[in-house]
Amino acid sequence: MTRNAMKRDHNMDMIPRDHIAFRVTGHAAPGTAAAAPSGLLPALFAHYRDLTTLRYDFPLLLVKGGPAEGAIRSLSSVIDGVLQEAAPPGAEGERMRQHVLRMEKEIRATTARGVVGSLAALWEKSARRLAAASDESLADSLARARAALKVDGTLVDCNAALPARLFGHAWERVQQERTRPVREQIRALIVRLSDMLKAGMLASEAGRSADALKAGVGSAHAGAFDFDLMSRLLARVGGGSTLPPAHVRRIEWALAVLQSQRFFQVADAGAKAANVPYDFVFTSCAAACEAYGERLPRMVELLKAIAVARLEAEGRYVDGKHDLFFDAFDAGALDREDLSLFPDYLVCVRWSAGDPADEAGLWRLLSSGIPAKVLVQSDEILAPPNEEKALPFLTARSAHLAAMAVGLRHTYVLQAVSAHLLQMKDAILKGLRHPGPALFSVYSGCAASAGIPPYLHAAAAMESRAFPSFRYDPGEPDWAAAFSVEGNPEPGADWTTHRLAYEDEMRQRVTEDVKFTFADFVACDARYARHFARLPRAEWGAHMVPVADCPAGALSQSAAREPYVLLVDARSALHRALVDDSVVRESERCRAAWRRLQELGGIRSSHAERLLARARAAWEEEKAGELARIDRAAASATAAPEAASAVQAAARPASDAPAPAEPGVQERSADEPYIETPRCTSCDECTQLNSVVFAYDANKQAYIAHPEKATYRELVEAAEACQVSIIHPGKPRNPNEPGLAELVERARPFL
Ligand code: SF4
């Protein structure tokens, strides 16, 4: 049995048996550790139960008109803009601000009930409702603020419909911008080719006939002219040139194709009204693939028609040369530039539970090179509870989808939660403008079993690293620019930290920093309530540790410490809930997956750390060599005078001999604890054990900052935990420390 195992067993003696049984089995024995009742929420949610009372990003305004960059805004930012413009300085302005903020709150509450409408309409309704229950000054404030409101659009709350609405809106705006040059070109070519045909017709004998002239004037004024006479007169002065028949046929063909195409809506250019434009929005990847295949011949035809029309319009079509080229032009000749002229396909897929139905279609579409933008909205990222524990929790494919898609070449990938879509606006627009396929994997926060608003659940998924944000852009020149996790809160940390303020049992106000982990996210979901056991306050003890403080990869080491999460009930009373081993294990997996993402994003890169370690070792070697050279030089400089004085010294009386050298003042006492700092691998084990005693220096290597504040037990445990055995605990300072004899024995290998 190893020393650590013995220590664990010793500590585990202090832990009630029902706790151990619960942690291992996930089942609380009757009358012992109480299973966490549903209704308990992570403590950090205490202040967010009613989101309508908070001023935050939602609802969002999907702005009508204007550039794509301004297409998505928060209602709060719109109201701030209005107040900035309309509120006068001083008390009157403050009154107006209060009135307008009341109305913003009213609109927020309305959209939270699921009402969707334009800002203008919801403003009018809310203003009427508030004015009916208030004095005239409120109506006046709202009327003046309304006059300063310059934007409108649809207001949407954070709910199941949000992702598709938001992406549909942004995609529409990007398509409008992208296809504008082609639409204008088609329109101009239709006009030009029509004019050429008309001019050619007028110059011809047929164009000068009485019937053609009559048709050109129209029936309303036909009686006012003698068309036979006009025809004879024109024939006498005419004789101009006509277009060669081959050109006329080509122009007529190109014109017909341009007028009948269904890819673009071209206004006022003789486009046939019967041409219903193609729909580019799909709810299935397979359907989008099929539509693309069916439309491919029409795309080739349209590209040919545009090219022919341009050559004819500029008088540059050369029969022999261009005929050959266009005869050979087919779908195989289309390149990325050709495809970029056409609208992209938007596919909005919704995965509510379990494995996706259309996953094969998704991979086929993304790897086909079709410029499709695919939104996969997931309403569940935790798999259904699994009594047999045969599979880990995070088996919902949607939680891993985006990471898998990074392996596809040329596919832009964005993973985000719905609560964070406003912040990811630029990354969304970039993906929609990417010339190749793009995948947007969005967690909606609408898990059926979560009894909290979707906004909160989605935000919790990101904060807990269960569904972190990241972006991969294959258009960037190198990996560092292509992959980013910067959209996450505290991207350099394992878990996010929040300040929690509460009253303890003595009604004293306490504040502490609390980390939000994957275990806290699981605790939001009533389906997993049995994995948490609420402990009575009498059973709380120093052996309990927050899940976040369980050392990485050390579940077994944490067996002697009881991991817990902080929960609150409906009255905001604080509880500690013991977490079973399966959730702790899953939290470790989640942290490991997050660390891999961090590394891809350039945070704590193992490659960079290895390079750094090599460079540091080389530098230290060089420094040691330099010091040795200096010592040798100093020694040879003193050797000559010493030799010269040796004779005199030999003749001197014994009392003149130099005193023996004093011991070096820097020499370390074997009794003091210390760390071989240059060998530290920055693994966090000791700093997590006690961040006051153990600290990192500027090179992120550990040293003992406050030996006087350490117990001997902490020093010995740190020495045992250190993977490279560089912590030396020295001798105990406090002869009365409990268990000293055993600790001294355990410290022996590290002295
Ligand atoms: S445990 Fe050891 S290697 Fe890890 S940080 Fe502390 S001293 Fe460095």
Side-chain angles (χ1 to χ4, degrees):
M1 186 180 279
T2 64
R3 191 173 49 248
N4 278 347
M6 283 169 63
K7 180 185 85 172
R8 198 168 64 237
D9 287 351
H10 168 77
N11 288 349
M12 283 179 76
D13 286 345
M14 302 185 312
I15 296 174
R17 286 190 179 283
D18 61 313
H19 292 197
I20 295 171
F22 166 76
R23 287 182 54 195
V24 174
T25 64
H27 294 288
T32 57
S38 51
L40 290 184
L41 288 176
L44 292 169
F45 287 2
H47 300 298
Y48 302 101
R49 287 185 192 277
D50 184 3
L51 289 174
T52 61
T53 61
L54 302 175
R55 193 161 194 248
Y56 70 116
D57 288 342
F58 283 82
L60 298 182
L61 180 68
L62 306 182
V63 181
K64 199 158 84 181
E69 266 60 30
I72 306 163
R73 294 181 64 183
S74 70
L75 174 63
S76 309
S77 76
V78 172
I79 296 290
D80 286 347
V82 165
L83 286 172
Q84 214 164 9
E85 190 176 327
E92 194 192 336
E94 182 52 27
R95 190 169 51 243
M96 182 177 187
R97 204 178 78 82
Q98 296 297 334
H99 289 154
V100 174
L101 290 182
R102 255 174 78 188
M103 203 195 54
E104 181 190 326
K105 194 171 163 188
E106 177 77 16
I107 295 176
R108 180 167 290 117
T110 306
T111 55
R113 289 195 297 274
V115 176
V116 178
S118 71
L119 172 59
L122 290 174
W123 182 297
E124 296 310 328
K125 269 190 201 156
S126 304
R128 266 204 307 277
R129 219 170 11 242
L130 289 177
S134 191
D135 58 20
E136 273 182 15
S137 70
L138 182 135
D140 175 59
S141 293
L142 297 187
R144 281 189 291 148
R146 177 70 182 86
L149 179 67
K150 299 289 187 293
V151 291
D152 197 12
T154 307
L155 279 173
V156 286
D157 197 31
C158 188
N159 54 31
L162 172 73
R165 273 209 182 106
L166 185 144
F167 276 86
H169 176 72
W171 173 85
E172 178 78 45
R173 298 293 280 280
V174 168
Q175 297 316 302
Q176 283 295 322
E177 285 177 4
R178 270 194 57 230
T179 61
R180 185 173 299 127
V182 191
R183 284 184 281 123
E184 283 172 3
Q185 187 183 34
I186 292 176
R187 185 176 178 282
L189 286 172
I190 289 175
V191 171
R192 175 77 184 122
L193 296 191
S194 303
D195 287 350
M196 286 173 75
L197 286 178
K198 271 186 211 152
M201 181 72 176
L202 277 177
S204 69
E205 224 171 274
R208 292 195 302 261
S209 72
D211 286 345
L213 291 172
K214 194 173 175 181
V217 170
S219 57
H221 305 287
F225 299 96
D226 181 344
F227 292 106
D228 288 327
L229 180 61
M230 280 173 74
S231 176
R232 282 199 298 278
L233 288 172
L234 286 171
R236 238 178 272 157
V237 298
S241 64
T242 59
L243 282 167
H247 284 260
V248 172
R249 276 197 303 279
R250 261 195 311 270
I251 290 173
E252 284 174 342
W253 170 81
L255 186 58
V257 173
L258 294 177
Q259 287 178 326
S260 61
Q261 60 79 28
R262 297 173 59 192
F263 293 95
F264 306 94
Q265 232 168 352
V266 182
D268 307 326
K272 292 178 182 157
N275 296 338
V276 181
Y278 286 130
D279 192 358
F280 287 89
V281 182
F282 294 82
T283 53
S284 135
C285 296
C289 258
E290 200 178 321
Y292 180 85
E294 280 172 13
R295 295 170 190 179
L296 200 53
R298 299 278 81 79
M299 287 168 68
V300 174
E301 184 183 58
L302 179 57
L303 285 170
K304 250 195 233 185
I306 291 174
V308 168
R310 284 178 56 184
L311 287 169
E312 287 291 358
E314 292 161 14
R316 292 190 296 114
Y317 196 102
V318 181
D319 283 353
K321 177 178 152 193
H322 290 117
D323 286 348
L324 278 177
F325 173 77
F326 287 117
D327 285 348
F329 190 82
D330 60 14
L334 295 184
D335 59 19
R336 182 169 275 212
E337 205 178 321
D338 294 326
L339 295 179
S340 71
L341 297 175
F342 291 87
D344 289 335
Y345 290 68
L346 177 67
V347 186
C348 299
V349 187
R350 191 167 167 193
W351 293 351
S352 15
D355 285 345
D358 195 22
E359 192 177 351
L362 171 73
W363 296 122
R364 194 172 142 232
L365 182 60
L366 292 180
S367 53
S368 67
I370 297 172
K373 312 302 179 215
V374 186
L375 163 69
V376 177
Q377 173 182 334
S378 305
D379 295 336
E380 294 275 10
I381 51 171
L382 294 180
N386 161 13
E387 292 295 326
E388 291 78 38
K389 297 190 178 178
L391 295 168
F393 288 117
L394 264 181
T395 48
R397 297 278 289 171
S398 47
H400 311 290
L401 192 66
M404 291 191 278
V406 172
L408 295 172
R409 287 176 65 220
H410 307 312
T411 299
Y412 183 99
V413 181
L414 175 69
Q415 175 166 294
V417 296
S418 58
H420 207 55
L421 290 179
L422 178 66
Q423 288 76 2
M424 302 307 282
K425 185 184 69 179
D426 291 345
I428 293 171
L429 292 177
K430 205 158 184 222
L432 290 173
R433 287 175 176 142
H434 176 63
L439 170 69
F440 304 95
S441 177
V442 175
Y443 175 52
S444 70
C446 296
S449 54
I452 54 174
Y455 172 85
L456 213 49
H457 205 241
M462 181 175 66
E463 293 273 344
S464 66
R465 318 300 193 195
F467 201 82
S469 280
F470 70 86
R471 180 265 294 151
Y472 169 64
D473 182 354
E476 292 291 350
D478 58 36
W479 185 262
F483 197 94
S484 171
V485 292
E486 289 303 321
N488 293 279
E490 300 178 57
D494 275 348
W495 307 113
T496 54
T497 306
H498 303 262
R499 177 59 50 103
L500 178 68
Y502 60 92
E503 279 187 0
D504 66 10
E505 67 278 19
M506 310 296 287
R507 304 199 66 76
Q508 297 293 310
R509 188 177 165 76
V510 180
T511 55
E512 66 175 291
D513 286 339
V514 173
K515 293 195 169 99
F516 194 77
T517 66
F518 178 79
D520 295 275
F521 177 67
V522 177
C524 302
D525 195 323
R527 292 175 303 172
Y528 297 103
R530 75 171 184 80
H531 295 277
F532 300 86
R534 186 162 49 92
L535 295 181
R537 198 171 277 266
E539 292 183 26
W540 296 13
H543 61 287
M544 297 187 75
V545 286
V547 170
D549 293 343
C550 291
L555 180 70
S556 53
Q557 285 189 16
S558 73
R561 307 172 198 157
E562 295 201 289
Y564 71 91
V565 289
L566 284 174
L567 303 177
V568 286
D569 59 24
R571 292 177 296 108
S572 295
L574 199 65
H575 301 269
R576 277 188 188 182
L578 193 58
V579 182
D580 79 7
D581 282 355
S582 60
V583 173
V584 175
R585 251 195 311 268
E586 196 59 21
S587 299
E588 286 195 357
R589 269 193 209 109
C590 178
R591 175 163 53 188
W594 164 240
R595 283 186 173 182
R596 280 194 293 276
L597 268 189
Q598 282 179 312
E599 191 163 355
L600 287 175
I603 297 169
R604 291 201 280 212
S605 160
S606 55
H607 292 293
E609 281 177 4
R610 273 182 208 183
L611 277 176
L612 205 62
R614 275 211 292 272
R616 192 183 291 135
W619 179 80
E620 275 166 6
E621 203 179 309
E622 192 182 323
K623 203 173 82 175
E626 214 167 285
L627 284 173
R629 269 197 304 281
I630 291 169
D631 284 349
R632 280 198 299 276
S636 59
T638 54
E642 274 172 11
S645 63
V647 178
Q648 300 163 13
R652 256 202 308 263
S655 57
D656 284 355
E662 287 187 13
V665 288
Q666 298 300 323
E667 210 169 89
R668 185 180 281 116
S669 157
D671 294 356
E672 286 298 314
Y674 70 99
I675 293 178
E676 295 170 61
T677 300
R679 291 179 55 209
C680 171
T681 59
S682 316
C683 74
D684 295 345
E685 288 285 357
C686 60
T687 53
Q688 281 187 359
L689 206 66
N690 187 331
S691 59
V692 175
V693 173
F694 302 99
Y696 283 127
D697 65 9
N699 292 330
K700 204 172 182 274
Q701 289 183 300
Y703 70 102
I704 300 184
H706 292 286
E708 74 286 359
K709 292 186 180 168
T711 62
Y712 198 54
R713 177 174 297 278
E714 284 172 322
L715 292 167
V716 173
E717 287 186 353
E720 288 173 341
C722 179
Q723 294 155 1
V724 284
S725 300
I726 54 170
I727 299 180
H728 304 280
K731 298 275 168 57
R733 284 168 173 258
N734 175 8
N736 300 321
E737 186 171 332
L740 211 50
E742 181 220 335
L743 291 171
V744 168
E745 196 51 40
R746 282 165 57 186
R748 205 179 291 282
F750 305 104
L751 293 177

